[in-house]
Amino acid sequence: MEKKLIKLSDRSILEVEGSESEKFLQGIITCNVEKIKNKSSYGSILTPQGKLLYDFIISRKNKKFLIDISRLNIDNFMKLLKIYKLRSNIILTKREDLSVFVDIDDKNTDMENIDPRLATIGSRKILKSNYEHCSNNKILYEKKLIKLGIAEVGDEIKPGEIFPIEANLDYLNGIDFQKGCFIGQEVSSRMYRKGKAKKRIVSFTSNDSFTNNDELVYNNRTIGTVIKKIEDYGIALIKIDKIINPERETITITSKDEKKKIDINMPSFFPI
């Protein structure tokens, strides 16, 4: 029996084609476009100051590139690419006939389509939008990302607000520091060489209710804000350099204004 996929209605597909498409993308985005063959890659485009503008998953189909990006961001992303393309021979097309589908239970059977950020997310495919053997229950996918400590630019991260390393792109295969130049590379490389980022997105659990941007306190100091919470699981941007013994499995942090608490769980992909 064919497995039912989840359709991500909040994602859109941008097609990039033309004789200079690879060279063009290689010079502006954070992942190594030249290495994209049978499998997709996770990447982003940054501001010249190194802040995270848009993140996406990019794949190569024949001589075209398909960019899987938040529906909220695709129009502004296209406008930005048109500014950078100058006279490059590329064509940008929003593919309304294509959609993103995920299988959050698939970690091993479809390695060609496994999510390039983390295998435990599952597999990811671009199929015709009218594909019917699917559900629209994307909350299951969103909850899985939150449990893993993964945030995306869109509803969760606003464009240009944080650095890519704070969003863990260096841990999630989203930046290739060996590929050469890309927009914002100097700032990103400097932060990477310094070693430990001061702030990171982490996952947490809590029985209390929180809203986006609720401030969090640890040892009487404000050290972060809540990004998103679904049921008992959430993600927050935390000053991890202020946490004592971050290698511990859980760290309890309280809300600034109310007697609410969260238990921070450092994501499994953190090298600590």
Side-chain angles (χ1 to χ4, degrees), residues 18 35 40 45 47-48 53 55 58 82 96 104 111 137 151-152 174 178 188 201 223 262:
K35 292 182 178 179
S40 60
I45 191 165
T47 67
L53 265 181
D55 66 339
I58 177 171
K82 287 176 181 177
E96 301 286 1
I104 61 174
M111 295 307 295
N137 193 8
E152 298 176 332
Q178 309 302 319
S188 298
I201 290 174
I223 66 159
I262 67 174

Side-chain angles (χ1 to χ4, degrees), residues 3-248:
K3 191 179 290 185
K4 206 168 190 178
L5 304 176
I6 298 172
K7 184 177 183 178
L8 301 184
S9 57
D10 58 345
R11 305 292 293 185
S12 291
I13 302 299
L14 175 65
E15 179 184 273
V16 183
E17 64 175 318
S19 61
E20 295 180 284
S21 57
E22 180 180 297
K23 179 182 177 182
F24 168 71
L25 291 170
Q26 180 73 350
I28 62 172
I29 67 177
T30 59
C31 60
N32 194 329
V33 180
E34 294 175 356
K35 292 182 178 179
I36 300 173
K37 304 298 180 186
N38 298 323
K39 297 181 180 181
S40 60
S41 289
Y42 178 47
S44 65
I45 191 165
L46 312 180
T47 67
Q49 296 76 31
K51 290 288 187 74
L52 177 60
L53 265 181
Y54 309 115
D55 66 339
F56 44 78
I57 292 174
I58 177 171
S59 56
R60 188 194 298 260
K61 300 296 179 185
N62 300 320
K63 295 183 179 180
K64 303 175 182 179
F65 292 95
L66 297 178
I67 298 178
D68 157 6
I69 188 170
S70 168
R71 186 173 292 275
L72 292 175
N73 296 331
I74 188 169
D75 290 333
N76 286 332
F77 181 53
M78 284 184 70
K79 289 177 185 176
L80 183 64
L81 293 188
K82 287 176 181 177
I83 291 172
Y84 283 127
K85 86 180 192 73
L86 300 176
R87 296 183 181 180
S88 298
N89 180 20
I90 64 165
I91 301 170
L92 305 173
T93 307
K94 193 192 299 188
R95 294 291 303 270
E96 301 286 1
D97 60 316
L98 299 176
S99 294
V100 179
F101 298 81
V102 295
D103 179 355
I104 61 174
D105 297 317
D106 185 2
K107 303 176 186 64
N108 299 306
T109 60
D110 189 7
M111 295 307 295
E112 192 169 297
N113 292 300
I114 210 74
D115 194 296
R117 293 169 291 183
L118 207 62
T120 47
I121 298 173
S123 61
R124 190 180 193 97
K125 294 180 180 179
I126 296 174
L127 303 171
K128 290 292 185 181
S129 296
N130 60 4
Y131 179 77
E132 295 182 348
H133 196 70
C134 65
S135 79
N136 292 305
N137 193 8
K138 65 185 182 68
I139 195 75
L140 296 175
Y141 170 76
E142 292 176 3
K143 189 159 69 170
K144 183 158 193 179
L145 289 189
I146 284 177
K147 284 182 179 181
L148 292 169
I150 297 173
E152 298 176 332
V153 180
D155 286 330
E156 298 155 5
I157 305 171
K158 301 306 177 187
E161 281 195 348
I162 67 175
F163 291 100
I165 287 178
E166 294 174 342
N168 302 320
L169 266 72
D170 53 332
Y171 293 163
L172 295 169
N173 307 309
I175 309 176
D176 187 333
F177 291 102
Q178 309 302 319
K179 61 166 275 187
C181 293
F182 55 83
I183 297 167
Q185 181 226 1
E186 185 176 347
V187 176
S188 298
S189 295
R190 190 184 312 126
M191 289 183 70
Y192 180 72
R193 287 196 304 271
K194 283 184 177 179
K196 201 169 185 180
K198 292 183 178 180
K199 293 189 287 185
R200 291 270 185 185
I201 290 174
V202 300
S203 58
F204 69 82
T205 55
S206 176
N207 295 322
D208 297 318
S209 61
F210 286 88
T211 58
N212 296 359
N213 298 316
D214 276 357
E215 293 187 327
L216 300 171
V217 173
Y218 178 75
N219 283 351
N220 299 315
R221 300 177 67 177
T222 300
I223 66 159
T225 55
V226 172
I227 295 174
K228 186 176 183 178
K229 186 171 184 285
I230 298 178
E231 297 174 357
D232 292 341
Y233 301 93
I235 45 176
L237 182 63
I238 297 291
K239 295 177 182 177
I240 59 171
D241 65 325
K242 303 300 182 185
I243 294 177
I244 301 170
N245 298 326
E247 66 276 3
R248 283 162 39 190

